[in-house]
Amino acid sequence: MAIDGAAATVPLSPGERLDGLNHIAELRAKVFGLNIEPELERFIKDLRDPRDVNNKQNERVLAALFFMAKIPVERHGVNISDLTTDEKRELVKAMNHFRAVVSLFPKRLTMPY
């Protein structure tokens, strides 16, 4: 038996998805007053872990996030607590941008040979 009527979901463009993710982040802050700083600290600590076998690539990902957030290169090594509120906001926006475009990646990637 088919369901008649409008679709329950609609595909979103990367820009629409990004706007939605940023809006949700704003609402979470206003409604729940959540402090993202501990999660950002954990995330950055994980990416900076020198024992990780992909440490160099992880550092490149972190540098790309900081670049997208327009955080100056000389501040890429600082702790999250040393970032300004605006820098943290821009970092969250950059992370949301990654989330929006990653959703568009092909589902079953294979290595070229």
Side-chain angles (χ1 to χ4, degrees), residues 2-9:
I3 298 174
D4 295 326
T9 62

Side-chain angles (χ1 to χ4, degrees), residues 41-58:
E41 284 178 6
R42 180 212 42 87
F43 173 74
I44 290 174
K45 181 179 174 234
D46 288 348
L47 288 183
R48 288 179 175 161
D49 184 359
R51 296 169 295 170
D52 190 303
V53 295
N54 291 311
N55 175 259
K56 292 296 180 196
Q57 286 299 94
N58 292 345

